[in-house]
């Protein structure tokens, strides 16, 4: 019974979202389905994809999902500076045919693509120390000392991507870079 009530409540919420999208509104959703302080994205729920795909099925045209990353200078500090990184939009209609054939599979596929797109705009690290380090190194290596927050955020994302590559291709080099940064600090 509780499951049925939850499903009914979800569908009521989704219907309100579709109505809002139908009249040209927009939604800001956090597809992880929860607020957290983890240093990596958590598994995404399918709600954002299900809303988008069902809205397209009901005739909403040109609907896009725009991945947005929030990058905090130090999330633990109240009123810390934050940056917003906007990724390439995903067109919901690209999954419309698959949704008509198998709604569940299409929602899962779009959710996976959205997770990948968010992975490009959300600063992630294995732990909080590395996350702080990426932000610090991005600021230290900037010509302006990191005052241009957008440039700092882009640099931190690039450093995180490089660290992920090194972790796979040359873990000893990554360990050495981390140790050198610790010594510098």
């Amino acid at each position: 019974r509780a499951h049925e009530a939850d499903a009914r409540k979800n569908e009521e919420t989704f219907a309100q979202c579709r109505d809002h999208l139908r009249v040209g509104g927009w939604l800001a959703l956090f597809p992880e389905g929860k607020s957290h302080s983890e240093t990596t994205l958590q598994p995404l729920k399918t709600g954002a994809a299900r809303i988008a795909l069902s809205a397209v099925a009901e005739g909403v045209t040109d609907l896009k999902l725009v991945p947005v990353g929030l990058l905090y200078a130090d999330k633990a500090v109240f009123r810390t500076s934050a940056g917003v990184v906007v990724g390439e939009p995903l067109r919901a209609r690209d999954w419309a045919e698959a949704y008509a054939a198998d709604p569940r599979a299409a929602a899962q596929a779009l959710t996976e693509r959205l997770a990948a797109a968010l992975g490009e705009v959300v600063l992630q690290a294995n732990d909080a120390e590395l996350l702080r380090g990426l932000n610090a190194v991005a600021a230290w290596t900037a010509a302006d000392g990191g005052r241009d927050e957008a440039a700092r955020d882009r640099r931190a994302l690039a450093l995180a991507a490089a660290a992920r590559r090194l972790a796979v291709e040359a873990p000893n080099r990554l360990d050495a870079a981390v140790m050198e940064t610790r010594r510098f600090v």
Side-chain angles (χ1 to χ4, degrees):
R1 282 218 181 295
H3 178 67
E4 290 174 14
D6 288 346
R8 228 180 0 266
K9 190 172 183 180
N10 268 355
E11 184 47 42
E12 288 172 12
T13 301
F14 289 5
Q16 289 175 347
C17 291
R18 288 190 300 270
D19 290 345
H20 186 65
L21 292 169
R22 192 175 298 107
V23 295
W26 56 272
L27 304 171
L29 303 174
F30 291 81
E32 290 169 289
K34 63 181 181 177
S35 177
H36 64 84
S37 292
E38 300 297 323
T39 59
T40 59
L41 280 171
Q42 300 301 290
L44 271 55
K45 308 288 186 193
T46 60
R50 290 168 38 216
I51 290 167
L53 293 171
S54 61
V56 168
E58 290 183 5
V60 176
T61 59
D62 201 33
L63 181 60
K64 294 181 178 85
L65 291 89
V66 181
V68 175
L70 302 174
L71 288 87
Y72 295 94
D74 188 347
K75 190 175 181 181
V77 175
F78 181 65
R79 292 190 178 168
T80 190
S81 64
V84 176
V85 180
V86 180
E88 289 297 317
L90 306 174
R91 292 186 324 222
R93 73 173 181 242
D94 291 349
W95 282 268
E97 197 172 299
Y99 183 74
D102 185 345
R104 186 177 298 244
Q108 187 59 45
L110 179 51
T111 298
E112 289 170 10
R113 180 62 191 98
L114 182 57
L118 284 168
E120 296 172 12
V121 297
V122 172
L123 182 60
Q124 301 180 76
N126 291 339
D127 57 54
E129 179 188 30
L130 182 55
L131 200 64
R132 284 189 304 274
L134 292 167
N135 273 316
V137 171
W140 298 337
T141 57
D144 69 352
R147 286 184 297 282
D148 180 341
E149 291 181 13
R152 183 200 64 223
D153 292 346
R154 285 191 302 275
R155 177 76 174 142
L157 283 166
L159 288 168
R164 284 191 298 277
R165 280 192 306 277
L166 275 179
V168 172
E169 298 168 7
N172 292 341
R173 285 183 57 203
L174 178 59
D175 292 342
V178 169
M179 291 305 292
E180 188 64 30
T181 302
R182 283 186 181 130
R183 274 195 290 277
F184 180 79
V185 170

